[in-house]
Amino acid sequence: MVRPGGRSARVQAAVHAAVRELEAEVGREALTVPLVATRAGVTPSTIYRRWGDLQELLSDVAVERLRPETAPQDKGSLRSDLEAWAEQFLEEMSAPTGRAYLRDALLGDPDGSNAGQCSAYAAEQIDVILDRAAGREETTPDVETVLDRLVAPMMYRILFRPEGLGTAYARQLVAGLVGTIDR
Amino acid sequence: MVRPGGRSARVQAAVHAAVRELEAEVGREALTVPLVATRAGVTPSTIYRRWGDLQELLSDVAVERLRPETAPQDKGSLRSDLEAWAEQFLEEMSAPTGRAYLRDALLGDPDGSNAGQCSAYAAEQIDVILDRAAGREETTPDVETVLDRLVAPMMYRILFRPEGLGTAYARQLVAGLVGTIDR
DNA sequence: AGCTTAAAGCAAATATGTTGCTTCAAGCGC
DNA sequence: GCGCTTGAAGCAACATATTTGCTTTAAGCT
């Protein structure tokens, strides 16, 4: 049982904070468990016992950073909302730091729950956009369709073929999606 | 420079073979560089110097295993060729071993070249299918479209939401794709 | 055949990961 | 509030893995 209020929670916070600080100071490549432990004022065995290894720890921290901080902007129509969201998503995720977090989140994740969380964040954001569109009496696709047609292609290219990704690609996907809603 | 014909090549082959054997014998979790080195009859430092770490070595081996072994089946039409290929792809890649190779390939891949190779394999297979369809005078989408509409959604779900993936999903994607070719 | 050089071997030094046992303090019953 | 109970943290000794400087091997050239 993780005791939320006490020492465990403080250790957790200290370790996460140490990871972020050291990532910024020495770079992700140079991170090691003993280094993080020292910075967090904790013994290495604590980290090994709680997280297993560096990858799982980095995965936890990465997922936190991938959580969207704000609701998607309201641009007045489904199409423009999706475009704005997709452009921002693509820009953040295809940048070197975004890709690094994404990889970390996927990698150190034996049971897939962190990956699932990433997808859930995207689904939530899309849900907000679709609800808003439905409120405007627009015809909307369902969330799964948007995942397939918009999120999945962006992710695929970020992970497998990162060259030459830009906002034009995001717009093209949105165009293809909203152009085929009613069938 | 990698000298292709001589000792380096033998070492490379021995190490790759050792990884495969040990993966089968003791499981992926139990692999370590010293273990692989011993089996391959090589010193650990050779592996560290050539591959950097275990992840990069596993990434190399994983990409080899993800290379398609046969050309896609010819089922007589674009739609059925795509369905057959997508079903097989999804089955292989969403199985635990397939997911493990995929993760390994992505993981130990600092410069993205192994991930790019995976995508290139898929693109080659699709190219064969599309060429064949063009030879039958069928209207065909281009490769990029098939990557976006078929490969990307499958990969996204394999990596981020592996639950409940089946051949029905592959068929649904193909249906959506071939239903919208001519616009 | 002899030279040049990238890569492999070896071994010592260092760093990382593991484990059993001890100590600490949060949460709970009184 | 006081003192149990228990899960988590600390410590330290140990086992493994990783790095590194130097030596040796053998592929590819002329």
Side-chain angles (χ1 to χ4, degrees):
Chain A
M1 155 195 175
V2 177
R3 299 174 174 186
R7 183 163 65 157
S8 296
R10 281 198 305 278
V11 166
Q12 217 256 23
V15 169
H16 276 221
V19 168
R20 285 153 188 259
E21 289 168 25
L22 289 169
E23 241 173 19
E25 286 171 33
V26 305
R28 193 193 160 291
E29 288 308 300
L31 289 186
T32 66
V33 171
L35 188 67
V36 172
T38 304
R39 172 64 65 103
V42 143
T43 59
S45 63
T46 294
I47 295 182
Y48 289 120
R49 286 209 241 250
R50 264 190 59 171
W51 282 276
D53 61 15
L54 184 63
Q55 282 185 2
E56 287 184 50
L57 171 57
L58 290 180
S59 181
D60 272 10
V61 175
V63 175
E64 273 180 16
R65 306 181 94 144
L66 292 172
R67 178 182 6 246
E69 286 161 10
T70 59
Q73 283 185 275
D74 188 342
K75 296 286 209 171
S77 73
L78 173 62
R79 178 177 188 138
S80 52
D81 280 6
L82 286 175
E83 276 179 356
W85 179 81
E87 285 175 16
Q88 193 196 333
F89 181 89
L90 187 59
E91 250 167 43
E92 283 178 14
M93 296 294 203
S94 65
T97 61
R99 291 191 73 219
Y101 293 147
L102 210 43
R103 284 169 44 108
D104 284 343
L106 275 176
L107 278 167
D109 186 24
D111 64 350
S113 57
N114 284 347
Q117 190 54 242
C118 289
S119 181
Y121 289 150
E124 275 170 32
Q125 297 284 95
I126 288 164
D127 227 18
V128 170
I129 292 174
L130 294 181
D131 279 354
R132 216 150 52 193
R136 293 184 200 110
E137 316 278 321
E138 293 187 82
T139 314
T140 61
D142 62 20
V143 180
E144 296 300 308
T145 304
V146 181
L147 288 177
D148 285 342
R149 298 281 305 256
L150 187 56
V151 181
M154 290 195 291
M155 275 294 187
Y156 181 77
R157 293 180 119 96
I158 289 165
L159 291 172
F160 290 91
R161 307 163 102 206
E163 320 79 36
L165 275 181
T167 54
Y169 180 64
R171 278 197 301 276
Q172 170 197 325
L173 291 172
V174 172
L177 173 59
V178 301
T180 54
I181 286 176
D182 315 297
R183 18 207 97 215
Chain B
M1 154 195 176
V2 177
R3 298 175 174 187
R7 183 162 68 158
S8 297
R10 281 198 304 279
V11 166
Q12 216 255 23
V15 169
H16 277 221
V19 169
R20 285 153 188 257
E21 289 167 25
L22 289 168
E23 240 174 17
E25 286 170 34
V26 305
R28 193 192 160 293
E29 288 309 300
L31 289 186
T32 66
V33 171
L35 188 67
V36 172
T38 303
R39 171 65 64 104
V42 143
T43 59
S45 63
T46 294
I47 294 182
Y48 288 119
R49 286 208 240 248
R50 266 197 48 178
W51 282 277
D53 62 16
L54 184 63
Q55 282 183 1
E56 287 184 50
L57 171 56
L58 291 180
S59 180
D60 273 8
V61 174
V63 174
E64 272 181 18
R65 307 181 93 141
L66 292 172
R67 180 186 359 249
E69 285 161 10
T70 60
Q73 284 185 275
D74 187 343
K75 296 286 210 174
S77 73
L78 173 61
R79 178 176 189 139
S80 51
D81 281 6
L82 285 175
E83 276 179 356
W85 178 83
E87 285 175 16
Q88 192 196 332
F89 181 89
L90 186 59
E91 251 167 42
E92 284 178 14
M93 296 295 203
S94 64
T97 62
R99 292 190 74 219
Y101 293 148
L102 211 44
R103 282 169 47 109
D104 283 342
L106 280 175
L107 239 130
D109 187 24
D111 64 351
S113 57
N114 284 347
Q117 191 55 244
C118 290
S119 181
Y121 290 150
E124 274 170 33
Q125 298 283 94
I126 288 164
D127 226 20
V128 170
I129 292 174
L130 294 182
D131 280 354
R132 216 150 51 194
R136 293 186 201 109
E137 316 279 320
E138 293 187 82
T139 313
T140 61
D142 62 19
V143 179
E144 296 301 308
T145 304
V146 181
L147 287 176
D148 285 342
R149 299 281 303 258
L150 188 56
V151 180
M154 290 195 291
M155 274 296 188
Y156 181 76
R157 292 178 120 97
I158 289 165
L159 291 172
F160 290 91
R161 310 162 100 206
E163 320 79 38
L165 275 182
T167 54
Y169 180 64
R171 277 198 301 276
Q172 172 197 323
L173 290 172
V174 172
L177 172 60
V178 301
T180 54
I181 285 176
D182 314 296
R183 11 203 106 217

